[in-house]
Amino acid sequence: MSKVEKIEELQNILKTDSTNYQIRQELAILLLDSGYTEEALFHLQYLAKTFSENSEIFYNLGIAYEKLKKFTEAKNAYQKAIEISPAEIDAIYNLGLVLTELKEYDNAIECFNQVIQNDDIDSNSYFNLGICYLKKGDLLNAMSNFQNTVSLNDEDIYAHFYIGNIFKEMGDLQTAYEKFNKVLELSPAYSWAYYNLAIIDWECGKSDEALEKLNKTIELNPKDTDAYIVSAKILASEQEYQKAEEKINEAIENCSKSGNLYYIMAQIQKHLNNRDESLKYFNLALENSSTLNTNIKFINKEIKSLS
């Protein structure tokens, strides 16, 4: 019997016996597992009102809310599950994830540490501790926990990636480079690893290598706005303005509207002595200021100088 057929069978039973709570709970969990989250939530809310001391119901209620990105409600449901059953490790772990989404990093750290006290080889908890410390700006503790992650699971590409980013942030470009290459060994299609390798190449004066990796980044992720922008900047720095223009046109075609893209194009047109085009793109940059990193006052000065 397929999942859909089983769901229909359980729903038919409930139609004739709406107080069959065992069937309702089985249906709710099956709906949740099958991706029918809203429908599962309806039944779980009903059950939670009837069985206010059932930790499993509140745990699954938390999962439903979490899947719907209702993180405050998920937090409350997981906390209720833990209140009923304090040793419910899965609820504690999930609560940590939700608290991370709510930016309650210190409380999330407490959750993941509780999980590790119960199971000190839980690589996922070490990884999430790393994320929390990274969000707090504590690079040393973030690094320590990501290192613990890969010592337990060397195939965790995301932990290797974050370690690479931290080494890059600390100025150890060689080790960062090695880490990003490790990511590509594990996942050859991971575009962000190519992007970060390209940035290091560029910072080290290896423009050709950087452009090659940026092209690979774009091949894997044609909507990576930053990869186009950095490519155009490198080409412009080498006075390859026509190629830089082509790269930004490609970005405008493939990516969503971006003030940063329009600003770079305006600068390129300025170097090409295309006054009207430059003005057009400066104004487009202003129209898309929510995705613009450059100071608006500076752009207005540029426009004034061209008018």
Side-chain angles (χ1 to χ4, degrees):
M1 181 182 292
S2 69
K3 283 187 177 181
V4 172
E5 289 171 334
K6 184 63 176 177
I7 287 170
E8 289 177 356
E9 178 186 72
L10 296 174
Q11 286 174 331
N12 287 332
I13 293 172
L14 278 182
K15 285 178 183 178
T16 59
D17 183 8
S18 63
T19 61
N20 191 328
Y21 300 120
Q22 184 177 345
I23 291 296
R24 190 180 291 276
Q25 186 169 352
E26 185 181 348
L27 174 61
I29 293 171
L30 184 56
L31 287 166
L32 194 58
D33 290 342
S34 302
Y36 299 104
T37 310
E38 291 280 5
E39 294 86 344
L41 180 63
F42 170 79
H43 293 291
L44 289 165
Q45 287 172 329
Y46 181 96
L47 289 164
K49 291 175 183 177
T50 307
F51 300 98
S52 60
E53 296 303 315
N54 186 314
S55 64
E56 184 181 357
I57 289 171
F58 282 97
Y59 171 69
N60 283 295
L61 184 60
I63 292 174
Y65 280 128
E66 189 176 354
K67 285 186 174 183
L68 294 169
K69 300 190 181 300
K70 296 181 178 181
F71 297 118
T72 299
E73 292 88 342
K75 170 186 170 181
N76 294 335
Y78 287 135
Q79 285 178 331
K80 180 64 176 177
I82 295 164
E83 178 188 324
I84 298 166
S85 181
E88 182 58 65
I89 295 300
D90 288 341
I92 294 169
Y93 177 82
N94 283 13
L95 176 60
L97 295 177
V98 167
L99 290 169
T100 303
E101 292 288 348
L102 293 170
K103 301 182 180 180
E104 297 181 30
Y105 301 122
D106 289 333
N107 291 331
I109 287 168
E110 287 183 20
C111 289
F112 296 127
N113 278 327
Q114 276 186 262
V115 177
I116 289 169
Q117 285 172 13
N118 181 75
D119 178 7
D120 63 1
I121 59 170
D122 186 331
S123 66
N124 290 326
S125 288
Y126 283 113
F127 177 82
N128 284 293
L129 279 171
I131 294 294
C132 288
Y133 281 115
L134 191 63
K135 297 289 187 180
K136 282 166 59 70
D138 186 342
L139 297 185
L140 292 178
N141 270 317
M143 173 73 84
S144 175
N145 282 286
F146 289 134
Q147 293 282 21
N148 285 336
T149 304
V150 297
S151 69
L152 293 166
N153 177 15
D154 191 51
E155 295 187 357
D156 191 319
I157 62 170
Y158 302 108
H160 284 295
F161 181 77
Y162 281 117
I163 291 170
N165 271 319
I166 293 171
F167 275 121
K168 183 171 175 288
E169 183 74 15
M170 291 178 168
D172 187 346
L173 299 184
Q174 180 177 346
T175 307
Y177 207 86
E178 292 169 3
K179 272 296 172 184
F180 294 131
N181 274 318
K182 172 68 175 181
V183 172
L184 291 176
E185 285 178 23
L186 296 169
S187 180
Y190 198 74
S191 66
W192 285 359
Y194 280 108
Y195 176 80
N196 279 279
L197 286 169
I199 296 300
I200 294 173
D201 280 338
W202 187 27
E203 290 178 2
C204 293
K206 301 176 181 178
S207 297
D208 289 343
E209 291 91 333
L211 286 170
E212 182 181 339
K213 292 181 180 69
L214 288 166
N215 285 335
K216 186 65 177 179
T217 303
I218 292 165
E219 176 190 326
L220 293 168
N221 181 14
K223 295 185 180 298
D224 191 325
T225 303
D226 289 337
Y228 291 107
I229 288 174
V230 175
S231 294
K233 284 182 176 180
I234 293 173
L235 290 166
S237 70
E238 297 179 345
Q239 298 185 344
E240 296 276 4
Y241 298 117
Q242 293 287 353
K243 289 182 179 179
E245 179 186 29
E246 290 171 10
K247 187 61 66 175
I248 296 300
N249 274 328
E250 186 183 346
I252 290 170
E253 181 180 346
N254 291 328
C255 304
S256 57
K257 290 182 179 180
S258 165
N260 289 328
L261 282 176
Y262 293 133
Y263 175 74
I264 295 295
M265 180 62 100
Q267 292 290 1
I268 292 168
Q269 296 301 329
K270 185 177 176 182
H271 283 290
L272 289 170
N273 296 317
N274 294 332
R275 174 183 166 279
D276 290 343
E277 286 294 291
S278 184
L279 280 170
K280 178 181 104 174
Y281 283 107
F282 275 132
N283 281 306
L284 282 170
L286 291 177
E287 289 174 20
N288 293 273
S289 59
S290 63
T291 52
L292 178 65
N293 294 334
T294 305
N295 191 299
I296 290 174
K297 290 182 179 179
F298 179 77
I299 295 177
N300 282 325
K301 286 181 180 179
E302 292 267 23
I303 291 172
K304 186 176 180 180
S305 69
L306 290 169
S307 298

